[in-house]
Every structure is written in C-alpha cells, then in structure tokens.
Amino acid sequence: MNPKIYLSQPHVSGNEVDFIKKALDSNWLAPIGPSLDEFEKELQLFLLQFPNNKFKTPSLLALNSGTSAIHLGLRMLGVSKGDVVICQTFTFIASANPIVYLGAEPVFVDSESETWNMCPDKLEEAIIHLKSIDKKPKAIVTVHSYGMPYNVNRIHEIANKYNIKVLEDSAEAIGSRYDNISCGMFGDYSVFSFNGNKIITTSSGGALVTKTLAHKEKAVFFATQSRDEAPHYQHSEIGYNYRMSNICAGIGRGQMEILDAHVGLRRDMHAFYVKLFQAIPEVTVFTAPNDVYVPNYWLSAITIDPKIINGITRETLRLALEVENIESRPLWKPMHLQPIFAKYPYYGSDVAETLFENGLCLPSGSNLTDKDRKRIAIAVKAVFK
Ligand SMILES: *Cc1c(COP(=O)(O)O)cnc(C)c1O
C-alpha cells in the first residue's frame, strides 16, 4: 500500500531543535523566558509587514492553544453569564465552545456563498431581532474559515453600527490578508492557533492579539492565574493557566523561519487543484472572490454540484480517495446542526448546510511532493472519468 497522504501535517524547518536546545541549556523550561518574548516579537513583525498596517501596533501573547486564546479574548471582552454571543455557524467547534465556558449563550449565523464565512445580511438580521427581544449581543465571533478572509468591511461596519465588539478567530488565517492588512488585525481581539494541523505549529499553541500593551498585560494576568501584586499568593479574580511554555515558543521560532515559504506552498497546492479540476466543470475549487481577499489557502476545498453529476457526491470522491490511502474530509458540519448546540438560536438559510453536504477538503500540506500530487490526480480523474 502507498504511504498515507494527509490533509495537513506538521512540517518542520529543521532549526526547531536548536531553539529547543537553547531553552534546555539555559534552563528556561517555564511558561516564561526569552524564546517566548522573541516568538511574540516575531509574530508582531509578521502582522505588520503589509503597507496598510502602518496605523496600529498590535501586542501579542502566546498561549497554550487557540481555544484558550478564544476563551481569554472573550473574557477580556467582558463576556459573562447570561450574555448572548453571535458566532459563525460554519466553523470548527473551538470557535463556539468558549462562549459556553463563560456561561454565555451562543447564537449562530449562516455563511455567504462568496467567502463561506459570516453573511453580513444575516448578521444584521440577527442583531436587529436579538435587540428587539432585549438580548443585544455582547460580542461577535468571526472566522476566516480555511484561511479565506471574511467580508471584513461589511462585517465590521455592522459591528460598529450596533457598537458590538468582535473576537476575530484567525486560527486558520496566519498569512492571509484582506485589503493588504494581515488577518489577525481586525478584531478587538484576534486569535491564532499553532496546533499540529495548522500552517505553523508549536505542537500545541495559540496567540491572542490585543490592540494595546495594557490589554496584553491584563490578558497575561488572567493567563497566569490572576496573581495580585504580593509576596504571597493572592488572588482577587479567577484566572487560568494558559501561557505557552518557553520550549514550545522555541519550536514556534523555528517555524517562523519558514512561515512565508509554507504559505507559498499551500497556495501552490490550491493552484494545483484549480488546474486539476479545470476539465471537470461539476467541481468548483474554493477561490478568493476578488483581489481584496488574499487567502493563505490553509486547506484547499471543493464543492461538487449534485445536480450536474449523476450520482457522484463528495462521499463518492472521499471514499475513492480513502481506498488510495489519501485523506480528505467533509467541510465543517455547521454548529447549529451539532447535537450539543441544537438548542441555541440560528439565523440563516441553508448556505452552510449545503456546503457541508457538497463540500470536501483535500490534502493541502506544505510537505506534499510531486509524487503525492500525481497520486491525487490519478485518483480524482478515475472518479470523474
Ligand atoms: C484550530 C482552530 C481553533 C482552535 O485552536 P487549537 O489551537 O486547536 O485550540 C479555533 N478555531 C478554529 C477556526 C480552528 O481551526
């Protein structure tokens, strides 16, 4: 049997070991240390590399996961028991779980077909209705799904109009940009993930982007058990143990060296699929709607129109790939269809549901080889012959 081709795998630069060794040699094994500071600085510079970014300085804190970053970001926004928080339905569950951790109520909003992300019209409809029943949302969780930026201008225009804060879930969107501004710069708080399947990884990890240094300092306080200034352990607020370790930050520094290159390789995988499916009109490769959107193409995804092809569905393709030991996965099952979230309100129609029914993510890793691409091409062509 051929070796397995994965959807998205960790891909090291080779220099991670040196950074880990440095941390071990200097005895910085704690969730504090020089690598942590350096990793945060490198991330900050990365966010500021595009021309439209000049106007503001983000502060970052590295954390032990993207999920904890979302939890902390919502806590910073003051989300608490009984609040309503709007969340994009078409996402990974980690966008929504922290809303519930805080005792708040998630309300889910459908996607638009252009970006597969939150539909601005449905968002406004939800806000107007929630306000009318005296449940004005405390915050909005937006997502750049698969690294495709959402409609930043319209979504934030609406959030501003109704004076609602935004938590930007940029977990999948490091290296993506919208209107020449890095994703991760749009929310009142923004989040990255460095989980093993993301574009860069610290094995497990995440980061919270804040707009001011003071916000960063407050978030660090919460992330390190909310310790008051005192020689003994004293606490007047609930805190968490969410900081990234100096060892993991060392892995992150090694990964920063290849971030641009690996985003380039993900985009090459997308270009490969565009070419592969050119001759198969029933299949649409998910692609940026125009030049304002510059995705990192973390995962390449397709939809198959069931009306055109007799009998071939995304399951036909997924199972055929599986036989060839090639991993693929249906698009997100929307949150409002998840058993655990079924009881919460939903605003929208069937855009996200249809994506789930007809869509598939394909192998997208930066470490895929020409040989891998050949195997994928042969398997795909056999299905659509
Ligand atoms: C991966 C991911 C997260 C969670 O990040 P972890 O580091 O795995 O905790 C959150 N939101 C989205 C959209 C993700 O893809």
Side-chain angles (χ1 to χ4, degrees), residues 279-326:
I280 308 172
E282 305 88 339
V283 174
T284 307
V285 180
F286 182 42
T287 298
N290 59 55
D291 293 349
V292 173
Y293 299 80
V294 182
N296 59 13
Y297 289 115
W298 169 56
L299 292 187
S300 289
I302 56 168
T303 49
I304 302 177
D305 189 336
K307 290 192 294 290
I308 310 182
I309 309 185
N310 15 352
I312 301 178
T313 66
R314 68 125 156 96
E315 270 311 273
T316 321
L317 180 58
R318 191 183 70 77
L319 294 170
L321 291 172
E322 195 171 82
V323 169
E324 298 300 327
N325 214 15
I326 299 169

Side-chain angles (χ1 to χ4, degrees), residues 64-68 70 91-92 94-95 143-145 169 171-172 191-195 197-198 204-206 298 332:
N64 58 13
S65 77
T67 309
S68 34
I70 295 172
T91 186
F92 180 56
S95 307
V143 187
H144 308 288
S145 232
D169 183 348
E172 301 165 6
V191 164
F192 291 114
S193 165
F194 311 118
N195 192 14
N197 62 345
K198 299 302 198 308
S204 171
W298 169 56
W332 306 123

